[in-house]
Amino acid sequence: MAATIAGKTSLSASTSPVPVAGGTRAIQDLPDAPGKAELKKLCDGCHDLMFTVSTRETEEGWTRISNDMRSKGADGTEAEFAKVIAYLTKYMGKS
């Protein structure tokens, strides 16, 4: 589904996550759709999902970011990463 793209990217340190009352993570506010559970499994352990979901990328951008996270130890199957990329592209994609 998603192609592997060479190169790495980093998210801007100057981008601030949107504050959430009580430290509640954004996962419950995300659309219930295929890929949501995989997003939580693969990303929530290291990232505040408010920051993740405030980022907008194309499919190529989400693929590049996912590949970078894999190179840093994110552990999941090809199918799980493909679902996450598709989910993020659909719901957190650039307009």
Side-chain angles (χ1 to χ4, degrees), residues 3-71:
T4 301
I5 299 172
K8 296 182 179 182
T9 189
S10 62
L11 300 176
S12 172
S14 64
T15 303
S16 300
V18 178
V20 178
T24 303
R25 300 230 178 203
I27 195 72
Q28 67 271 13
D29 296 329
L30 295 173
D32 287 324
K36 180 178 179 177
E38 290 82 3
L39 176 69
K40 180 169 176 46
K41 176 187 172 198
L42 298 178
C43 306
D44 194 38
C46 296
H47 297 284
D48 177 348
L49 290 179
M50 279 307 296
F51 178 80
T52 301
V53 301
S54 69
T55 303
R56 297 287 186 247
E57 287 290 339
T58 62
E59 181 177 11
E60 181 179 317
W62 284 121
T63 300
R64 188 173 51 251
I65 291 167
S66 294
N67 288 338
D68 188 36
M69 296 303 101
R70 290 177 92 170
S71 74

